[in-house]
Amino acid sequence: QVRLVESGGGLVQAGGSLRLSCAASGGTFSSYYMSWFRQAPGKEREFVAAIRWSGTTHYADFVKGRFTISRDNAKNTVYLQMNTLKPEDTAVYYCAASPVLGIWPNNYDYWGQGTQVTVSS
């Protein structure tokens, strides 16, 4: 059974940094895109970044230059390093897996439970 478990969320001041982790298990992810989405209260879930196990990355425009997605294939873990955080980055961040690259939640087969990120002003 595929399982994705996020960790690393928390409360941080504006301008600060956090690193999220997503540990994947129960499947073969070598050909999968692993992505991060986020959902703020009252808003739709939105794409943040994606990485294929080959290392190819894709980012939403609003995080380019601030967030970096990376992976450790040996640990089946994907990371999201978030720098220069803004209050508008406050959301629940979700890890997701898909065999194809997509920016829409319905492209993804597997989801984690989410981790809360709160950025105070």
Side-chain angles (χ1 to χ4, degrees), residues 81-93:
Q81 178 67 43
M82 305 186 294
N83 298 328
T84 319
L85 283 161
K86 306 174 182 179
E88 52 263 44
D89 293 318
T90 295
V92 177
Y93 283 70

Side-chain angles (χ1 to χ4, degrees), residues 66-80:
R66 299 191 300 126
F67 292 8
T68 302
I69 190 170
S70 62
R71 84 278 185 255
D72 183 333
N73 290 342
K75 295 182 178 179
N76 266 357
T77 300
V78 177
Y79 304 98
L80 184 68

